[in-house]
Amino acid sequence: MSAGKLFLVPSPLSDNRVDLIINGQVKEIISSLNWFFAENIRTSRRFISSLNLGRPIESLHFAELNKDTADAEISKLMDIVTSGEDAGVISEAGCPGIADPGAKIVALAHKKGVEVIPLVGPSSVFLALMSSGFSGQSFTFHGYLPINKKAAQDKIKQMEKEVVQQGTTQIFMETPYRNNQLLEVVVSACQNNSLLCVASDITGEGEFIQTKKISEWKAKRPDLHKIPTVFLLGK
């Protein structure tokens, strides 16, 4: 029996915009799958149910694949695919494999000779970069910054230096409930003339994307508490 395929299934960044964001091809692929490796099973089940595909959610198989999933468990999940089952990898929001533990099973799929098929969908990182006005030719995605305030300040200052010296756009993010604290650290660590883009609730009804000087953010800061946000430094 030939191995199955591993599909990288994008999920919406905002719950109430599923029909506008998820295209027909993605829905068709999801309809054909019986197995899903999900960062969060509850939200993945809700996402698939919202597509109204005519399949009872109880008939589908879900396995957890998050940052705490052991390598041995990931290997067992891959055994499902190598035995002939197609499977979909679903991130908590956006595209699997970008700031997401799905990258581990994708790496294993390549080692096993399993075909990996990425599906088109929303990525908060790239949508933020597209709308920032900063260089998309040269950029670095740092993911989550250190929680420690001093370590975060040092990291931000280093990123600011790379913008000045190399023109490289710096992209980073935070757990939504710490967004406001991170914004405070950014505006305190950076020079007044540095440019910061704040891209919040991307594709959602409350979408907020603005690029301003640090001095302008100091004068008026948005409330980003519990709202998925991407931050970018650039020029």
mmCIF file of all heavy atoms in Angstrom, residues 157-179:
data_model
loop_
_atom_site.group_PDB
_atom_site.id
_atom_site.type_symbol
_atom_site.label_atom_id
_atom_site.label_comp_id
_atom_site.label_asym_id
_atom_site.label_seq_id
_atom_site.Cartn_x
_atom_site.Cartn_y
_atom_site.Cartn_z
ATOM 1 N N LYS A 157 16.053 46.257 20.687
ATOM 2 C CA LYS A 157 17.115 47.190 20.306
ATOM 3 C C LYS A 157 18.008 46.580 19.226
ATOM 4 O O LYS A 157 18.455 47.285 18.316
ATOM 5 C CB LYS A 157 17.938 47.575 21.534
ATOM 6 C CG LYS A 157 17.192 48.497 22.491
ATOM 7 C CD LYS A 157 18.036 48.814 23.724
ATOM 8 C CE LYS A 157 17.264 49.727 24.683
ATOM 9 N NZ LYS A 157 18.053 50.013 25.909
ATOM 10 N N GLN A 158 18.265 45.289 19.335
ATOM 11 C CA GLN A 158 19.065 44.615 18.318
ATOM 12 C C GLN A 158 18.332 44.595 16.982
ATOM 13 O O GLN A 158 18.936 44.827 15.920
ATOM 14 C CB GLN A 158 19.391 43.185 18.764
ATOM 15 C CG GLN A 158 20.207 42.388 17.760
ATOM 16 C CD GLN A 158 21.547 43.038 17.449
ATOM 17 O OE1 GLN A 158 22.218 43.566 18.342
ATOM 18 N NE2 GLN A 158 21.945 43.012 16.186
ATOM 19 N N MET A 159 17.021 44.346 17.028
ATOM 20 C CA MET A 159 16.222 44.357 15.796
ATOM 21 C C MET A 159 16.211 45.741 15.170
ATOM 22 O O MET A 159 16.337 45.889 13.951
ATOM 23 C CB MET A 159 14.789 43.890 16.093
ATOM 24 C CG MET A 159 14.672 42.413 16.403
ATOM 25 S SD MET A 159 12.947 41.826 16.424
ATOM 26 C CE MET A 159 12.325 42.626 17.891
ATOM 27 N N GLU A 160 16.072 46.761 16.002
ATOM 28 C CA GLU A 160 16.069 48.140 15.508
ATOM 29 C C GLU A 160 17.394 48.451 14.814
ATOM 30 O O GLU A 160 17.423 49.095 13.759
ATOM 31 C CB GLU A 160 15.821 49.099 16.665
ATOM 32 C CG GLU A 160 15.713 50.559 16.243
ATOM 33 C CD GLU A 160 15.537 51.475 17.442
ATOM 34 O OE1 GLU A 160 16.174 51.219 18.485
ATOM 35 O OE2 GLU A 160 14.770 52.447 17.341
ATOM 36 N N LYS A 161 18.477 47.952 15.382
ATOM 37 C CA LYS A 161 19.805 48.176 14.802
ATOM 38 C C LYS A 161 19.908 47.511 13.424
ATOM 39 O O LYS A 161 20.479 48.074 12.486
ATOM 40 C CB LYS A 161 20.873 47.620 15.736
ATOM 41 C CG LYS A 161 22.302 47.915 15.315
ATOM 42 C CD LYS A 161 23.313 47.332 16.291
ATOM 43 C CE LYS A 161 23.169 47.955 17.667
ATOM 44 N NZ LYS A 161 24.213 47.434 18.595
ATOM 45 N N GLU A 162 19.316 46.316 13.284
ATOM 46 C CA GLU A 162 19.354 45.619 11.999
ATOM 47 C C GLU A 162 18.536 46.355 10.941
ATOM 48 O O GLU A 162 18.890 46.346 9.763
ATOM 49 C CB GLU A 162 18.844 44.189 12.171
ATOM 50 C CG GLU A 162 19.793 43.292 12.951
ATOM 51 C CD GLU A 162 19.343 41.847 12.984
ATOM 52 O OE1 GLU A 162 18.617 41.433 12.058
ATOM 53 O OE2 GLU A 162 19.706 41.139 13.939
ATOM 54 N N VAL A 163 17.456 46.981 11.358
ATOM 55 C CA VAL A 163 16.665 47.785 10.423
ATOM 56 C C VAL A 163 17.515 48.937 9.894
ATOM 57 O O VAL A 163 17.562 49.195 8.681
ATOM 58 C CB VAL A 163 15.396 48.341 11.099
ATOM 59 C CG1 VAL A 163 14.695 49.339 10.174
ATOM 60 C CG2 VAL A 163 14.432 47.216 11.463
ATOM 61 N N VAL A 164 18.205 49.623 10.800
ATOM 62 C CA VAL A 164 19.005 50.790 10.429
ATOM 63 C C VAL A 164 20.197 50.386 9.556
ATOM 64 O O VAL A 164 20.481 51.009 8.529
ATOM 65 C CB VAL A 164 19.490 51.535 11.689
ATOM 66 C CG1 VAL A 164 20.467 52.658 11.309
ATOM 67 C CG2 VAL A 164 18.304 52.105 12.459
ATOM 68 N N GLN A 165 20.894 49.340 9.959
ATOM 69 C CA GLN A 165 22.140 48.966 9.291
ATOM 70 C C GLN A 165 21.934 48.166 8.009
ATOM 71 O O GLN A 165 22.700 48.311 7.051
ATOM 72 C CB GLN A 165 23.024 48.167 10.258
ATOM 73 C CG GLN A 165 23.503 48.982 11.456
ATOM 74 C CD GLN A 165 24.346 48.156 12.416
ATOM 75 O OE1 GLN A 165 24.408 46.928 12.337
ATOM 76 N NE2 GLN A 165 25.003 48.828 13.348
ATOM 77 N N GLN A 166 20.897 47.325 7.984
ATOM 78 C CA GLN A 166 20.706 46.418 6.856
ATOM 79 C C GLN A 166 19.394 46.627 6.101
ATOM 80 O O GLN A 166 19.199 46.074 5.022
ATOM 81 C CB GLN A 166 20.777 44.967 7.346
ATOM 82 C CG GLN A 166 22.068 44.628 8.058
ATOM 83 C CD GLN A 166 22.037 43.235 8.672
ATOM 84 O OE1 GLN A 166 21.296 42.360 8.229
ATOM 85 N NE2 GLN A 166 22.833 43.024 9.705
ATOM 86 N N GLY A 167 18.478 47.385 6.684
ATOM 87 C CA GLY A 167 17.183 47.603 6.042
ATOM 88 C C GLY A 167 16.278 46.385 6.093
ATOM 89 O O GLY A 167 15.301 46.290 5.333
ATOM 90 N N THR A 168 16.584 45.446 6.986
ATOM 91 C CA THR A 168 15.812 44.204 7.094
ATOM 92 C C THR A 168 14.588 44.398 7.979
ATOM 93 O O THR A 168 14.710 44.809 9.135
ATOM 94 C CB THR A 168 16.683 43.077 7.687
ATOM 95 O OG1 THR A 168 17.855 42.915 6.884
ATOM 96 C CG2 THR A 168 15.917 41.768 7.730
ATOM 97 N N THR A 169 13.414 44.119 7.446
ATOM 98 C CA THR A 169 12.177 44.216 8.228
ATOM 99 C C THR A 169 12.194 43.164 9.332
ATOM 100 O O THR A 169 12.539 42.000 9.104
ATOM 101 C CB THR A 169 10.950 44.000 7.333
ATOM 102 O OG1 THR A 169 10.961 44.980 6.282
ATOM 103 C CG2 THR A 169 9.664 44.119 8.124
ATOM 104 N N GLN A 170 11.823 43.571 10.537
ATOM 105 C CA GLN A 170 11.811 42.684 11.703
ATOM 106 C C GLN A 170 10.359 42.414 12.119
ATOM 107 O O GLN A 170 9.612 43.350 12.393
ATOM 108 C CB GLN A 170 12.573 43.331 12.865
ATOM 109 C CG GLN A 170 13.970 43.823 12.501
ATOM 110 C CD GLN A 170 14.923 42.685 12.198
ATOM 111 O OE1 GLN A 170 15.037 41.728 12.964
ATOM 112 N NE2 GLN A 170 15.619 42.779 11.063
ATOM 113 N N ILE A 171 9.988 41.151 12.147
ATOM 114 C CA ILE A 171 8.606 40.763 12.443
ATOM 115 C C ILE A 171 8.585 39.929 13.716
ATOM 116 O O ILE A 171 9.396 39.007 13.878
ATOM 117 C CB ILE A 171 8.013 39.937 11.281
ATOM 118 C CG1 ILE A 171 8.260 40.633 9.940
ATOM 119 C CG2 ILE A 171 6.521 39.697 11.494
ATOM 120 C CD1 ILE A 171 7.905 39.784 8.729
ATOM 121 N N PHE A 172 7.653 40.240 14.604
ATOM 122 C CA PHE A 172 7.566 39.497 15.861
ATOM 123 C C PHE A 172 6.131 39.557 16.384
ATOM 124 O O PHE A 172 5.284 40.283 15.872
ATOM 125 C CB PHE A 172 8.566 40.035 16.891
ATOM 126 C CG PHE A 172 8.495 41.528 17.129
ATOM 127 C CD1 PHE A 172 7.837 42.056 18.224
ATOM 128 C CD2 PHE A 172 9.105 42.413 16.248
ATOM 129 C CE1 PHE A 172 7.777 43.421 18.453
ATOM 130 C CE2 PHE A 172 9.056 43.794 16.451
ATOM 131 C CZ PHE A 172 8.383 44.293 17.553
ATOM 132 N N MET A 173 5.874 38.758 17.421
ATOM 133 C CA MET A 173 4.515 38.685 17.944
ATOM 134 C C MET A 173 4.556 38.322 19.431
ATOM 135 O O MET A 173 5.612 38.080 19.997
ATOM 136 C CB MET A 173 3.694 37.664 17.148
ATOM 137 C CG MET A 173 4.256 36.268 17.168
ATOM 138 S SD MET A 173 3.680 35.224 15.806
ATOM 139 C CE MET A 173 1.913 35.283 16.012
ATOM 140 N N GLU A 174 3.366 38.273 20.010
ATOM 141 C CA GLU A 174 3.250 37.948 21.430
ATOM 142 C C GLU A 174 1.939 37.218 21.667
ATOM 143 O O GLU A 174 1.006 37.300 20.854
ATOM 144 C CB GLU A 174 3.321 39.243 22.267
ATOM 145 C CG GLU A 174 3.236 39.070 23.763
ATOM 146 C CD GLU A 174 4.250 38.089 24.334
ATOM 147 O OE1 GLU A 174 4.007 36.865 24.190
ATOM 148 O OE2 GLU A 174 5.247 38.530 24.922
ATOM 149 N N THR A 175 1.858 36.485 22.764
ATOM 150 C CA THR A 175 0.585 35.911 23.180
ATOM 151 C C THR A 175 -0.396 37.064 23.352
ATOM 152 O O THR A 175 -0.056 38.072 23.990
ATOM 153 C CB THR A 175 0.752 35.156 24.511
ATOM 154 O OG1 THR A 175 1.744 34.133 24.335
ATOM 155 C CG2 THR A 175 -0.555 34.537 24.945
ATOM 156 N N PRO A 176 -1.618 36.966 22.780
ATOM 157 C CA PRO A 176 -2.529 38.121 22.753
ATOM 158 C C PRO A 176 -2.762 38.829 24.082
ATOM 159 O O PRO A 176 -2.880 40.055 24.112
ATOM 160 C CB PRO A 176 -3.821 37.514 22.202
ATOM 161 C CG PRO A 176 -3.346 36.435 21.285
ATOM 162 C CD PRO A 176 -2.147 35.840 21.979
ATOM 163 N N TYR A 177 -2.772 38.099 25.189
ATOM 164 C CA TYR A 177 -3.055 38.783 26.457
ATOM 165 C C TYR A 177 -1.853 39.587 26.968
ATOM 166 O O TYR A 177 -1.971 40.318 27.952
ATOM 167 C CB TYR A 177 -3.569 37.803 27.517
ATOM 168 C CG TYR A 177 -2.560 36.801 28.021
ATOM 169 C CD1 TYR A 177 -1.677 37.135 29.049
ATOM 170 C CD2 TYR A 177 -2.504 35.510 27.511
ATOM 171 C CE1 TYR A 177 -0.760 36.220 29.525
ATOM 172 C CE2 TYR A 177 -1.595 34.589 27.988
ATOM 173 C CZ TYR A 177 -0.721 34.946 28.996
ATOM 174 O OH TYR A 177 0.186 34.035 29.471
ATOM 175 N N ARG A 178 -0.702 39.469 26.284
ATOM 176 C CA ARG A 178 0.470 40.280 26.661
ATOM 177 C C ARG A 178 0.815 41.317 25.602
ATOM 178 O O ARG A 178 1.894 41.924 25.651
ATOM 179 C CB ARG A 178 1.677 39.368 26.915
ATOM 180 C CG ARG A 178 1.587 38.554 28.194
ATOM 181 C CD ARG A 178 2.965 38.087 28.658
ATOM 182 N NE ARG A 178 3.551 37.143 27.738
ATOM 183 C CZ ARG A 178 3.519 35.820 27.892
ATOM 184 N NH1 ARG A 178 2.914 35.305 28.938
ATOM 185 N NH2 ARG A 178 4.098 35.019 27.010
ATOM 186 N N ASN A 179 -0.082 41.549 24.646
ATOM 187 C CA ASN A 179 0.200 42.504 23.573
ATOM 188 C C ASN A 179 0.469 43.909 24.081
ATOM 189 O O ASN A 179 1.392 44.590 23.618
ATOM 190 C CB ASN A 179 -0.964 42.551 22.577
ATOM 191 C CG ASN A 179 -0.943 41.408 21.591
ATOM 192 O OD1 ASN A 179 0.095 40.838 21.317
ATOM 193 N ND2 ASN A 179 -2.104 41.078 21.061
#
